[in-house]
Structures are given as C-alpha cells and as structure tokens.
Amino acid sequence: MANLLGRVAPWLPSGKEPPREAEFRTLGRKDTPQLWRLVNSDSTANVFMASHLEIAGSAAPSSSGGEVIGTFRGSRLVSACWTGVNVVPVGMADDDGALLGSQLGMSGRRFSSIFGPASSVMSIWSTLKPFSPEPFDVRAEQPLLEIRQPSAIPPNQSLRFTRPHELEKILPACAAMFEEEVGYSPYVGGEEHYRRRVAGLIRRQHSLVDFDDDGQVIFKAELGTVSARAVQIQGVWMNPAYRGKGLSAGYMSAVVGESLKLAPVASLYVNSFNTRALALYKTVGFTRTGEFATVLF
C-alpha cells in the first residue's frame, strides 16, 4: 500500500499529524465483510465490485495488479475504490473522492477510464485532472436505469446465446458498437485483448445475438457485468440496416428476460444525449434510479 497511497492526504494542514477521520489503505482479505457491506448498500450501482468479489472471494489485491483502496474513519470502512486498468468508486462521498483523486494523481498511475456513480467519479476527476493526460471524453451525466420484472413487451424469440464458433461473425458487430459508443476502435493498441474479452462473454453465455439469413448480425447485446444481485447490460447494438423497423423493443425485452434468470435486477447506463435509447428503454420498462459518469482516456 505504501507505494501507492499514504495513510492520509499529505497536503492537508494537519498532514504531519494524520487526522483520524480520513485514512486510505489498500484492502486485504480481512476487510472483505466490510467491503461487502458497502457494496450491498446499492447492489445495482456497485455491480462491478460485487462481481469482482464473487469471483475473487476477497477484497485483497488481485493477481493482475488491481487493488481496492478503502477510506477509513477509525476502524470503519466508509468508502472504497477499485484501481486497476479502470477506477471504480463505491459509496465515495465528494470529499473522499477529491482526496483520493489527488493521491492517485501523485502516484503517477495511468488509467483507461473512471466510471461509476456520477458524484464520486466527478469528485475523483476534479483533483486527478491536473496529473492526467487530456481525456478522450468526459460523460458527466449517464442515467442509470433498472428493471425488476419481465418487460410487458413480447420478447423476440429469435435472440439467443452466441455460440463459440460464431466469434468471427459477431466480432465486427462488437467492434462497430464500441466505436459508435466510445468514439475509437477497440483494436487501438492491439486486437487480441478485445478478442479475448468477447470470447469470454460467449464462453460464459453472456453474449446474445440474432443473425439474418445471410449470417449478418441483426442485434446483439452482452450481460457485461453479472453478480448474484444484479446484471449490467452492455454492448447493445442494432445493425444500421435494421434500424427504424420497430425491432429494438422486442430484442431488449428478450435481453431483460435472460438477465432476470441470473439476478433479480437488470440494469444499464446510457448517455443522457442518447434520446432514442432512453425512449426505447422506457418503452421496455426500465426506470431511472441513479446517475453514472464516465471519464475515458
């Protein structure tokens, strides 16, 4: 931990005598129950951390180099933040986020994105910004939506799980969705990492697709992050040749149906300017329950 963060923010006037009300350290195995308490306070917004804990079984640093930084007041864990390739806060108040952003900035680490509850993300970014390269994009308002029951819209029965041998057929659609959504190709820096991610989704039956008679993808979506309490839907994409034909609602209803087989809540977040997507999700039955933000590098 010492190589990344000090126990307190050293720029505070009381930095020489650390204040007890805000201490940062990397979490270990013994902190797992407290981290779960934080995660379960909002299992939809915190699905990323819940999924990590379910897979890893512990709050301790991962073998890939990611770690969870906790904010303590006394012995109580009051907020946390995943720091790996991405930065993902959990229950982080604005002041804690600002302190952590400065600490991360001074550590010299670089990240691909910051995402999660908007107030936490933007507070981290407010003090990380002076240390960071210019971001590719800052999306400060992304409605977080959820649905807890099957949609009233009849599901499109043609949607199914992608099969392993169909990786090459679905990969171009995945890349097209990524580029439309993020603004650059997922192959920047190399194709293999992205291929492995898509293949992993297919292997876990978290990739859904429908093909036309010519073998072209009509619609696809992923159950991108899955925990026992929530599924976060990602990668929703309709082939431009099939847009405007009234097909999206039936496909999304089918995605919701598959999601609710895995967890009691299906969720997603969407850019506030994407009015067409927001209208679709409202039709399917999603309701707004929070606000996310994303900083992309």
Side-chain angles (χ1 to χ4, degrees), residues 15 23 36 56 61 65 74 89 142 151 232 257 286 297:
E23 299 184 352
W36 265 121
Q142 297 177 302
S151 174
Q232 189 173 92
F286 284 86
F297 300 99

Side-chain angles (χ1 to χ4, degrees), residues 92-229:
M92 186 156 283
D94 292 352
D95 289 347
D96 292 343
L99 291 173
L100 181 60
S102 291
Q103 293 275 29
L104 292 174
M106 290 188 294
S107 77
R109 291 180 63 171
R110 292 290 180 260
F111 309 99
S112 295
S113 70
I114 312 169
F115 66 87
S119 62
S120 300
V121 168
M122 298 313 292
S123 63
I124 292 171
W125 177 234
S126 70
T127 52
L128 179 60
K129 186 188 307 185
F131 302 93
S132 172
E134 187 70 19
F136 179 80
D137 199 4
V138 177
R139 299 177 179 181
E141 185 180 350
Q142 297 177 302
L144 177 65
L145 312 177
E146 70 173 42
I147 185 170
R148 293 174 177 263
Q149 63 284 316
S151 174
I153 301 296
N156 190 316
Q157 301 295 332
S158 297
L159 193 70
R160 60 169 175 80
F161 293 113
T162 311
R163 297 165 186 143
H165 71 272
E166 294 171 330
L167 173 62
E168 299 302 330
K169 292 175 65 176
I170 199 173
L171 198 59
C174 294
M177 178 285 306
F178 187 99
E179 192 158 355
E180 285 182 24
E181 175 65 21
V182 180
Y184 57 86
S185 170
Y187 299 146
V188 171
E191 181 178 335
E192 190 55 34
H193 175 76
Y194 190 68
R195 289 177 61 88
R196 286 198 304 269
R197 169 164 170 74
V198 175
L201 289 165
I202 294 172
R203 185 174 59 254
R204 294 190 298 275
Q205 290 198 317
H206 290 172
S207 171
L208 293 158
V209 69
D210 187 23
F211 294 101
D212 65 18
D213 292 340
D214 295 324
Q216 299 299 308
V217 174
I218 301 174
F219 175 93
K220 68 98 188 169
E222 286 92 50
L223 312 183
T225 307
V226 176
S227 78
R229 293 196 177 190

